[in-house]
Short mmCIF file of all heavy atoms in Angstrom, two decimals:
data_model
loop_
_atom_site.label_atom_id
_atom_site.label_comp_id
_atom_site.label_asym_id
_atom_site.label_seq_id
_atom_site.Cartn_x
_atom_site.Cartn_y
_atom_site.Cartn_z
N SER A 1067 6.68 -5.91 -8.63
CA SER A 1067 5.71 -5.62 -7.45
C SER A 1067 5.08 -4.22 -7.82
O SER A 1067 5.79 -3.29 -8.06
CB SER A 1067 6.55 -5.60 -6.28
OG SER A 1067 5.57 -5.05 -5.22
N ARG A 1068 3.86 -4.25 -7.57
CA ARG A 1068 3.08 -2.86 -7.70
C ARG A 1068 3.54 -1.84 -6.52
O ARG A 1068 3.28 -0.64 -6.65
CB ARG A 1068 1.63 -3.08 -7.74
CG ARG A 1068 1.04 -3.89 -8.87
CD ARG A 1068 1.42 -3.07 -10.15
NE ARG A 1068 0.98 -3.90 -11.29
CZ ARG A 1068 1.51 -3.81 -12.58
NH1 ARG A 1068 2.48 -3.11 -12.79
NH2 ARG A 1068 1.02 -4.51 -13.60
N ALA A 1069 4.16 -2.51 -5.57
CA ALA A 1069 4.58 -1.62 -4.46
C ALA A 1069 5.79 -0.57 -4.98
O ALA A 1069 5.85 0.39 -4.32
CB ALA A 1069 4.94 -2.46 -3.24
N ILE A 1070 6.62 -1.05 -5.92
CA ILE A 1070 7.66 -0.23 -6.41
C ILE A 1070 7.26 1.08 -6.88
O ILE A 1070 7.70 2.21 -6.36
CB ILE A 1070 8.52 -1.03 -7.40
CG1 ILE A 1070 9.18 -2.18 -6.72
CG2 ILE A 1070 9.51 -0.16 -8.01
CD1 ILE A 1070 9.97 -3.19 -7.51
N PRO A 1071 6.25 1.10 -7.84
CA PRO A 1071 5.75 2.48 -8.36
C PRO A 1071 5.02 3.23 -7.31
O PRO A 1071 5.00 4.41 -7.38
CB PRO A 1071 5.01 2.06 -9.63
CG PRO A 1071 4.58 0.68 -9.56
CD PRO A 1071 5.70 0.13 -8.77
N VAL A 1072 4.40 2.48 -6.45
CA VAL A 1072 3.67 3.10 -5.25
C VAL A 1072 4.62 3.89 -4.40
O VAL A 1072 4.36 4.97 -4.24
CB VAL A 1072 2.75 2.18 -4.52
CG1 VAL A 1072 2.29 2.71 -3.25
CG2 VAL A 1072 1.44 1.73 -5.44
N ILE A 1073 5.70 3.15 -4.03
CA ILE A 1073 6.69 3.88 -3.14
C ILE A 1073 7.39 5.05 -4.00
O ILE A 1073 7.50 6.03 -3.39
CB ILE A 1073 7.76 2.89 -2.74
CG1 ILE A 1073 7.06 1.90 -1.66
CG2 ILE A 1073 9.02 3.58 -2.14
CD1 ILE A 1073 7.98 0.75 -1.44
N GLU A 1074 7.67 4.84 -5.13
CA GLU A 1074 8.33 5.87 -5.99
C GLU A 1074 7.32 7.14 -6.00
O GLU A 1074 7.78 8.22 -5.99
CB GLU A 1074 8.60 5.43 -7.39
CG GLU A 1074 9.78 4.41 -7.41
CD GLU A 1074 9.94 3.74 -8.77
OE1 GLU A 1074 8.99 3.78 -9.61
OE2 GLU A 1074 11.05 3.16 -9.02
N GLY A 1075 6.04 6.81 -6.24
CA GLY A 1075 5.08 7.95 -6.32
C GLY A 1075 4.98 8.63 -4.85
O GLY A 1075 4.77 9.78 -4.88
N LEU A 1076 4.96 7.85 -3.84
CA LEU A 1076 4.88 8.50 -2.50
C LEU A 1076 6.20 9.35 -2.30
O LEU A 1076 6.18 10.42 -1.70
CB LEU A 1076 4.89 7.43 -1.47
CG LEU A 1076 3.48 6.71 -1.31
CD1 LEU A 1076 3.45 5.57 -0.50
CD2 LEU A 1076 2.29 7.73 -0.91
N GLN A 1077 7.36 8.75 -2.69
CA GLN A 1077 8.63 9.61 -2.58
C GLN A 1077 8.55 10.92 -3.34
O GLN A 1077 9.07 12.04 -2.85
CB GLN A 1077 9.81 8.70 -3.02
CG GLN A 1077 10.14 7.61 -2.15
CD GLN A 1077 11.28 6.75 -2.60
OE1 GLN A 1077 11.48 6.55 -3.82
NE2 GLN A 1077 12.14 6.06 -1.73
N ALA A 1078 8.00 10.80 -4.46
CA ALA A 1078 7.82 12.07 -5.35
C ALA A 1078 6.96 13.08 -4.56
O ALA A 1078 7.11 14.23 -4.81
CB ALA A 1078 7.38 11.72 -6.62
N ARG A 1079 6.07 12.66 -3.84
CA ARG A 1079 5.02 13.54 -3.08
C ARG A 1079 5.77 14.01 -1.71
O ARG A 1079 5.13 14.66 -1.13
CB ARG A 1079 3.85 12.69 -2.82
CG ARG A 1079 2.83 12.67 -3.94
CD ARG A 1079 1.79 11.52 -3.83
NE ARG A 1079 0.92 11.41 -4.86
CZ ARG A 1079 1.01 10.84 -6.06
NH1 ARG A 1079 2.22 10.26 -6.30
NH2 ARG A 1079 0.03 10.85 -6.94
N GLY A 1080 6.87 13.32 -1.39
CA GLY A 1080 7.55 13.83 -0.12
C GLY A 1080 6.91 13.13 1.15
O GLY A 1080 7.12 13.55 2.22
N ALA A 1081 6.21 12.01 0.86
CA ALA A 1081 5.63 11.21 2.05
C ALA A 1081 6.66 10.59 3.00
O ALA A 1081 7.82 10.22 2.40
CB ALA A 1081 4.69 10.25 1.55
N GLU A 1082 6.33 10.37 4.20
CA GLU A 1082 7.13 9.69 5.15
C GLU A 1082 6.56 8.19 4.94
O GLU A 1082 5.35 8.01 5.53
CB GLU A 1082 7.04 10.18 6.46
CG GLU A 1082 7.67 9.29 7.63
CD GLU A 1082 7.22 9.82 8.95
OE1 GLU A 1082 7.23 11.02 9.15
OE2 GLU A 1082 7.05 8.87 9.78
N ILE A 1083 7.32 7.38 4.29
CA ILE A 1083 6.72 5.97 4.04
C ILE A 1083 7.22 4.97 5.13
O ILE A 1083 8.29 4.94 5.41
CB ILE A 1083 7.36 5.50 2.68
CG1 ILE A 1083 7.01 6.49 1.48
CG2 ILE A 1083 6.80 4.22 2.27
CD1 ILE A 1083 7.86 6.38 0.31
N VAL A 1084 6.07 4.21 5.52
CA VAL A 1084 6.42 3.15 6.37
C VAL A 1084 5.78 1.84 5.68
O VAL A 1084 4.66 1.98 5.23
CB VAL A 1084 5.81 3.35 7.83
CG1 VAL A 1084 4.35 3.72 7.75
CG2 VAL A 1084 6.12 2.25 8.69
N ALA A 1085 6.47 0.70 5.66
CA ALA A 1085 6.12 -0.32 4.95
C ALA A 1085 6.12 -1.60 5.68
O ALA A 1085 7.15 -1.90 6.50
CB ALA A 1085 6.99 -0.55 3.79
N TYR A 1086 5.14 -2.45 5.53
CA TYR A 1086 5.05 -3.84 6.11
C TYR A 1086 4.75 -4.89 5.08
O TYR A 1086 4.00 -4.73 4.11
CB TYR A 1086 3.91 -3.87 7.09
CG TYR A 1086 3.60 -5.34 7.51
CD1 TYR A 1086 4.37 -5.96 8.30
CD2 TYR A 1086 2.54 -6.03 6.91
CE1 TYR A 1086 4.12 -7.28 8.76
CE2 TYR A 1086 2.39 -7.40 7.21
CZ TYR A 1086 3.08 -8.06 7.99
OH TYR A 1086 2.80 -9.33 8.38
N ASP A 1087 5.48 -6.03 5.22
CA ASP A 1087 5.28 -7.27 4.40
C ASP A 1087 5.77 -8.36 5.32
O ASP A 1087 6.99 -8.14 5.94
CB ASP A 1087 5.95 -7.16 3.15
CG ASP A 1087 5.65 -8.21 2.22
OD1 ASP A 1087 6.11 -9.49 2.48
OD2 ASP A 1087 4.88 -8.08 1.27
N PRO A 1088 5.18 -9.49 5.43
CA PRO A 1088 5.72 -10.57 6.22
C PRO A 1088 7.13 -11.26 5.69
O PRO A 1088 7.64 -11.83 6.53
CB PRO A 1088 4.50 -11.64 6.39
CG PRO A 1088 3.64 -11.27 5.20
CD PRO A 1088 3.87 -9.77 4.82
N VAL A 1089 7.13 -11.11 4.52
CA VAL A 1089 8.54 -11.91 4.07
C VAL A 1089 9.36 -11.07 2.94
O VAL A 1089 10.51 -11.38 2.85
CB VAL A 1089 8.17 -13.16 3.38
CG1 VAL A 1089 7.58 -14.13 4.30
CG2 VAL A 1089 7.32 -13.13 2.12
N ALA A 1090 8.87 -9.99 2.44
CA ALA A 1090 9.62 -9.19 1.40
C ALA A 1090 10.40 -7.94 1.89
O ALA A 1090 10.99 -7.33 0.98
CB ALA A 1090 8.66 -9.01 0.27
N ILE A 1091 10.44 -7.73 3.14
CA ILE A 1091 10.93 -6.51 3.52
C ILE A 1091 12.46 -6.53 3.13
O ILE A 1091 12.94 -5.39 2.65
CB ILE A 1091 10.89 -6.29 5.12
CG1 ILE A 1091 9.44 -5.93 5.39
CG2 ILE A 1091 11.89 -5.33 5.63
CD1 ILE A 1091 9.12 -5.90 6.95
N GLU A 1092 13.26 -7.44 3.36
CA GLU A 1092 14.73 -7.35 3.03
C GLU A 1092 14.96 -7.08 1.59
O GLU A 1092 15.84 -6.32 1.23
CB GLU A 1092 15.44 -8.58 3.54
CG GLU A 1092 15.48 -8.69 5.18
CD GLU A 1092 16.00 -7.31 5.71
OE1 GLU A 1092 16.96 -6.78 5.30
OE2 GLU A 1092 15.34 -6.91 6.73
N ASN A 1093 14.14 -7.84 0.73
CA ASN A 1093 14.40 -7.56 -0.80
C ASN A 1093 14.06 -6.15 -1.09
O ASN A 1093 14.68 -5.51 -1.92
CB ASN A 1093 13.58 -8.50 -1.51
CG ASN A 1093 14.06 -9.91 -1.48
OD1 ASN A 1093 15.21 -10.23 -1.12
ND2 ASN A 1093 13.26 -10.82 -1.82
N MET A 1094 12.98 -5.51 -0.48
CA MET A 1094 12.51 -4.19 -0.79
C MET A 1094 13.42 -3.20 -0.22
O MET A 1094 13.78 -2.17 -0.77
CB MET A 1094 11.18 -3.96 -0.32
CG MET A 1094 10.60 -2.69 -0.98
SD MET A 1094 10.40 -2.71 -2.80
CE MET A 1094 8.92 -3.69 -2.95
N ARG A 1095 14.05 -3.52 0.95
CA ARG A 1095 15.10 -2.60 1.52
C ARG A 1095 16.33 -2.36 0.74
O ARG A 1095 16.80 -1.40 0.71
CB ARG A 1095 15.49 -3.16 2.92
CG ARG A 1095 16.35 -2.22 3.83
CD ARG A 1095 16.84 -2.92 5.04
NE ARG A 1095 16.02 -3.67 5.86
CZ ARG A 1095 15.27 -3.45 6.90
NH1 ARG A 1095 15.27 -1.96 7.15
NH2 ARG A 1095 14.50 -4.12 7.47
N GLU A 1096 16.72 -3.33 -0.06
CA GLU A 1096 17.75 -3.23 -0.98
C GLU A 1096 17.52 -2.14 -2.11
O GLU A 1096 18.34 -1.28 -2.53
CB GLU A 1096 18.19 -4.55 -1.59
CG GLU A 1096 18.76 -5.53 -0.72
CD GLU A 1096 18.99 -6.91 -1.32
OE1 GLU A 1096 19.07 -7.00 -2.59
OE2 GLU A 1096 19.12 -7.94 -0.60
N ARG A 1097 16.29 -2.11 -2.50
CA ARG A 1097 15.94 -1.08 -3.49
C ARG A 1097 15.57 0.21 -2.83
O ARG A 1097 15.83 1.22 -3.47
CB ARG A 1097 14.68 -1.75 -4.19
CG ARG A 1097 14.23 -0.83 -5.29
CD ARG A 1097 13.51 -1.48 -6.40
NE ARG A 1097 13.26 -0.52 -7.44
CZ ARG A 1097 12.91 -0.86 -8.62
NH1 ARG A 1097 13.03 -2.13 -9.00
NH2 ARG A 1097 12.68 -0.11 -9.60
N PHE A 1098 14.99 0.14 -1.74
CA PHE A 1098 14.50 1.45 -1.12
C PHE A 1098 15.02 1.46 0.46
O PHE A 1098 14.23 1.36 1.30
CB PHE A 1098 13.09 1.60 -1.06
CG PHE A 1098 12.41 1.76 -2.44
CD1 PHE A 1098 11.63 0.62 -2.96
CD2 PHE A 1098 12.41 2.89 -3.13
CE1 PHE A 1098 11.07 0.76 -4.19
CE2 PHE A 1098 11.82 2.96 -4.53
CZ PHE A 1098 11.25 1.88 -5.05
N PRO A 1099 16.36 1.78 0.47
CA PRO A 1099 16.89 1.77 2.02
C PRO A 1099 16.34 2.88 2.82
O PRO A 1099 16.40 2.79 4.10
CB PRO A 1099 18.38 1.91 1.65
CG PRO A 1099 18.46 2.51 0.36
CD PRO A 1099 17.36 2.15 -0.45
N ASP A 1100 15.77 4.03 2.32
CA ASP A 1100 15.33 5.10 3.15
C ASP A 1100 13.80 4.95 3.63
O ASP A 1100 13.44 5.73 4.29
CB ASP A 1100 15.54 6.37 2.27
CG ASP A 1100 16.88 6.75 1.94
OD1 ASP A 1100 17.81 6.19 2.66
OD2 ASP A 1100 17.05 7.34 0.99
N VAL A 1101 13.21 3.88 3.25
CA VAL A 1101 11.93 3.59 3.72
C VAL A 1101 12.05 2.97 5.17
O VAL A 1101 12.89 2.22 5.50
CB VAL A 1101 11.15 2.61 2.67
CG1 VAL A 1101 9.91 2.16 3.38
CG2 VAL A 1101 10.80 3.45 1.31
N GLU A 1102 10.97 3.40 5.97
CA GLU A 1102 11.04 2.74 7.25
C GLU A 1102 10.20 1.37 7.14
O GLU A 1102 8.94 1.41 6.66
CB GLU A 1102 10.25 3.58 8.20
CG GLU A 1102 9.98 2.96 9.72
CD GLU A 1102 9.14 3.79 10.58
OE1 GLU A 1102 8.78 4.95 10.13
OE2 GLU A 1102 8.80 3.30 11.68
N TYR A 1103 10.86 0.31 7.59
CA TYR A 1103 10.26 -0.97 7.49
C TYR A 1103 9.78 -1.47 9.01
O TYR A 1103 10.60 -1.32 9.88
CB TYR A 1103 11.14 -2.07 6.89
CG TYR A 1103 11.37 -1.59 5.42
CD1 TYR A 1103 12.58 -0.88 5.15
CD2 TYR A 1103 10.44 -2.06 4.39
CE1 TYR A 1103 12.76 -0.49 3.76
CE2 TYR A 1103 10.83 -1.65 3.21
CZ TYR A 1103 11.90 -0.89 2.88
OH TYR A 1103 12.15 -0.53 1.46
N VAL A 1104 8.64 -2.03 9.08
CA VAL A 1104 8.12 -2.39 10.42
C VAL A 1104 7.80 -3.87 10.32
O VAL A 1104 7.42 -4.41 9.30
CB VAL A 1104 7.02 -1.57 10.91
CG1 VAL A 1104 7.43 -0.07 11.25
CG2 VAL A 1104 5.75 -1.46 9.90
N ASP A 1105 7.67 -4.44 11.49
CA ASP A 1105 7.39 -5.91 11.75
C ASP A 1105 5.96 -6.28 11.74
O ASP A 1105 5.52 -7.54 11.69
CB ASP A 1105 8.14 -6.47 13.04
CG ASP A 1105 9.71 -6.40 12.92
OD1 ASP A 1105 10.14 -6.55 11.69
OD2 ASP A 1105 10.17 -6.22 13.91
N THR A 1106 5.11 -5.32 12.01
CA THR A 1106 3.57 -5.56 11.92
C THR A 1106 2.77 -4.55 11.23
O THR A 1106 3.22 -3.27 11.04
CB THR A 1106 3.11 -5.57 13.33
OG1 THR A 1106 3.19 -4.24 14.02
CG2 THR A 1106 3.83 -6.48 14.40
N PRO A 1107 1.64 -4.87 10.76
CA PRO A 1107 0.78 -3.82 10.00
C PRO A 1107 0.41 -2.80 11.00
O PRO A 1107 0.19 -1.64 10.61
CB PRO A 1107 -0.30 -4.71 9.47
CG PRO A 1107 -0.28 -6.06 10.06
CD PRO A 1107 1.11 -6.19 10.58
N ASP A 1108 0.14 -3.25 12.23
CA ASP A 1108 -0.28 -2.16 13.30
C ASP A 1108 0.75 -1.07 13.40
O ASP A 1108 0.39 0.11 13.54
CB ASP A 1108 -0.50 -2.97 14.67
CG ASP A 1108 -1.37 -4.01 14.79
OD1 ASP A 1108 -1.47 -4.79 13.69
OD2 ASP A 1108 -2.01 -4.32 15.73
N ALA A 1109 2.05 -1.51 13.46
CA ALA A 1109 3.10 -0.58 13.51
C ALA A 1109 3.20 0.54 12.28
O ALA A 1109 3.31 1.60 12.51
CB ALA A 1109 4.52 -1.12 13.68
N ALA A 1110 2.70 -0.11 11.07
CA ALA A 1110 2.67 0.71 10.00
C ALA A 1110 1.51 1.60 9.97
O ALA A 1110 1.60 2.95 9.56
CB ALA A 1110 2.65 -0.04 8.75
N LEU A 1111 0.42 1.21 10.48
CA LEU A 1111 -0.73 2.09 10.48
C LEU A 1111 -0.78 3.21 11.66
O LEU A 1111 -1.46 4.18 11.39
CB LEU A 1111 -2.05 1.18 10.72
CG LEU A 1111 -2.28 0.22 9.64
CD1 LEU A 1111 -3.35 -0.75 10.19
CD2 LEU A 1111 -2.74 1.04 8.43
N SER A 1112 0.01 2.97 12.59
CA SER A 1112 -0.10 4.01 13.66
C SER A 1112 0.33 5.42 13.25
O SER A 1112 1.43 5.70 12.66
CB SER A 1112 1.07 3.68 14.80
OG SER A 1112 1.28 4.57 15.87
N GLU A 1113 -0.72 6.22 13.47
CA GLU A 1113 -0.55 7.78 13.04
C GLU A 1113 -0.41 8.01 11.59
O GLU A 1113 -0.09 9.05 11.11
CB GLU A 1113 0.63 8.41 13.81
CG GLU A 1113 0.40 8.50 15.39
CD GLU A 1113 -0.73 9.36 15.78
OE1 GLU A 1113 -1.00 10.43 15.11
OE2 GLU A 1113 -1.54 8.77 16.52
N ALA A 1114 -0.71 6.98 10.76
CA ALA A 1114 -0.70 7.24 9.33
C ALA A 1114 -1.77 8.06 8.78
O ALA A 1114 -2.94 7.94 9.17
CB ALA A 1114 -0.62 5.86 8.57
N ALA A 1115 -1.50 8.82 7.81
CA ALA A 1115 -2.47 9.76 7.12
C ALA A 1115 -3.28 8.87 6.11
O ALA A 1115 -4.33 9.15 5.79
CB ALA A 1115 -1.84 10.86 6.36
N ALA A 1116 -2.69 7.76 5.56
CA ALA A 1116 -3.35 6.81 4.64
C ALA A 1116 -2.64 5.54 4.61
O ALA A 1116 -1.59 5.45 5.10
CB ALA A 1116 -3.18 7.48 3.18
N ALA A 1117 -3.34 4.50 4.27
CA ALA A 1117 -2.83 3.16 4.19
C ALA A 1117 -3.04 2.65 2.67
O ALA A 1117 -4.34 2.71 2.25
CB ALA A 1117 -3.50 2.22 5.19
N LEU A 1118 -2.15 2.15 1.99
CA LEU A 1118 -2.22 1.63 0.65
C LEU A 1118 -2.05 0.15 0.69
O LEU A 1118 -0.91 -0.28 1.08
CB LEU A 1118 -1.28 2.38 -0.12
CG LEU A 1118 -1.26 3.76 -0.24
CD1 LEU A 1118 -0.22 4.41 -1.07
CD2 LEU A 1118 -2.64 4.30 -0.52
N VAL A 1119 -3.06 -0.61 0.43
CA VAL A 1119 -2.95 -2.05 0.35
C VAL A 1119 -2.49 -2.54 -0.95
O VAL A 1119 -3.18 -2.31 -2.05
CB VAL A 1119 -4.28 -2.91 0.68
CG1 VAL A 1119 -4.14 -4.31 0.70
CG2 VAL A 1119 -4.65 -2.36 1.99
#
Side-chain angles (χ1 to χ4, degrees):
S1067 170
R1068 297 297 180 206
I1070 293 169
V1072 167
I1073 290 171
E1074 291 169 343
L1076 290 170
Q1077 287 176 328
R1079 288 166 171 76
E1082 177 189 319
I1083 304 162
V1084 58
Y1086 166 77
D1087 189 285
V1089 298
I1091 286 175
E1092 291 311 313
N1093 289 341
M1094 195 63 81
R1095 187 187 318 267
E1096 290 176 22
R1097 181 157 185 156
F1098 296 104
D1100 295 335
V1101 167
E1102 177 186 354
Y1103 297 94
V1104 294
D1105 295 331
T1106 66
D1108 301 34
L1111 293 171
S1112 179
E1113 295 299 313
L1118 308 177
V1119 177

